[in-house]
Amino acid sequence: MVYFVGAGCGAADLITVRGMNLLKAADVIVYTGSLVNPELLNYAKKHCEIHNSATMTLEEVMIVVIAAARQGKMVVRLHTGEPSIYGAVLEQMQILEANGVPYESCPGVSACFGAAASLNLEYTLPDISQTLIITRMAGRTGVPEKESIEKLAAHNASMAIYLSSGMMEKLSRALYNGGYSKDTPAAIVYKASWPDEEKYICTVGTLAETAEAHGIKNLAVVLVGDVISKSGYSLSKLYDAEFETEFRKSR
């Protein structure tokens, strides 16, 4: 069996209990060495075979994974964050399917949620935003035109932008042109939950200068939206004394 495991966004103890147990049981681990916290490998058993996929091609990764699985070994493919978001996992799963190798997925904590925890932030505040958009700027990997930053910004919803911290000036301009004001609150969280995490509150208009002032060019998630100000929202109806639920009568 091959398990695709989300390593979480950084801190070694943010992996799920299931993910930790899978690492402990694995005979072979192939991990994303460029992004995954190496402390997670401390969960591996003594004679576990470990490969760093940062130096490997897709073909090389799959040769290792398929060979180990066919030998009856338990394999963990350890991805950063939550593999379903920018994890490039489907292409691996389909190769396994084509070769008759069974697999399962174990979710992880994505960077936008690590960043929200760092800032004590709620993305869905009543009367402010009830939507979180997770997206990225177009780079070497393109983005569908209908999902451009400008088009998504028109919703003025909460937004978490990945893989774009090296293009802050372009990102700021796209957000502004799409519909956010230059004064819209924004945040930059570098290496969320890692020991060397950095976090900065700014605005859409000051994203580029904030990143430049702190030397941030990669490994950061950018958050945008009025929820960052933590003001002007309505209280949840869930705990309102007059709001009746299955478990509580109105008072």
Side-chain angles (χ1 to χ4, degrees):
M1 177 69 76
V2 176
Y3 294 90
F4 291 90
V5 176
C9 51
D13 59 353
L14 275 181
I15 193 169
T16 63
V17 173
R18 181 184 296 180
M20 177 186 69
N21 288 334
L22 289 171
L23 285 176
K24 288 180 175 179
D27 300 303
V28 177
I29 296 173
V30 182
Y31 76 105
T32 308
S34 57
L35 295 169
V36 167
N37 188 339
E39 290 183 18
L40 286 164
L41 300 177
N42 293 333
Y43 292 126
K45 57 190 179 185
K46 185 175 180 180
H47 299 295
C48 181
E49 180 184 329
I50 298 175
H51 299 264
N52 181 355
S53 66
T55 62
M56 304 166 73
T57 64
L58 173 62
E59 182 181 16
E60 289 169 340
V61 167
M62 299 316 295
I63 286 173
V64 169
V65 170
I66 291 171
R70 285 178 171 168
Q71 291 168 19
K73 296 179 179 179
M74 178 182 162
V75 183
V76 166
R77 178 69 173 103
L78 187 62
H79 279 265
T80 184
E82 161 48 46
S84 68
I85 301 176
Y86 307 120
V89 290
L90 184 60
E91 58 200 49
Q92 299 173 69
M93 293 173 175
Q94 291 183 330
I95 291 173
L96 293 180
E97 289 175 6
N99 284 273
V101 177
Y103 62 88
E104 291 183 7
S105 295
C106 175
V109 178
S110 192
C112 68
F113 303 117
S118 176
L119 296 171
N120 294 315
L121 188 67
E122 183 177 350
Y123 288 121
T124 53
L125 292 176
D127 292 337
I128 303 297
S129 178
Q130 291 291 287
T131 300
L132 171 63
I133 297 172
I134 299 175
T135 191
R136 60 183 293 276
M137 289 279 288
R140 287 192 293 177
T141 299
V143 170
E145 193 276 334
K146 63 183 179 181
E147 296 179 10
S148 69
I149 294 293
E150 288 91 339
K151 283 188 167 52
L152 296 178
H155 297 285
N156 268 230
S158 303
M159 190 180 289
I161 305 164
Y162 286 63
L163 304 170
S164 306
S165 49
M167 302 178 282
M168 288 294 202
E169 188 170 341
K170 184 178 179 181
L171 173 60
S172 178
R173 187 165 56 250
L175 290 166
Y176 174 69
N177 289 340
Y180 290 104
S181 72
K182 290 184 177 180
D183 294 329
T184 300
I188 301 170
V189 183
Y190 169 80
K191 297 186 73 173
S193 83
W194 289 73
D196 54 344
E197 172 192 274
E198 298 178 32
K199 52 190 175 182
Y200 305 102
I201 302 295
C202 56
T203 65
V204 165
T206 60
L207 274 170
E209 65 183 76
T210 302
E212 184 176 359
H214 298 284
I216 295 175
K217 298 180 180 179
N218 56 16
L219 303 179
V221 61
V222 176
L223 310 179
V224 178
D226 288 327
V227 296
I228 295 172
S229 71
K230 303 180 183 179
S231 63
Y233 64 94
S234 297
L235 298 182
S236 169
K237 295 296 185 184
L238 181 60
Y239 302 106
D240 190 315
E242 296 182 2
F243 191 71
E244 187 169 310
T245 73
E246 180 183 353
F247 303 98
R248 187 188 70 238
K249 299 296 183 181
S250 61
R251 301 174 187 176

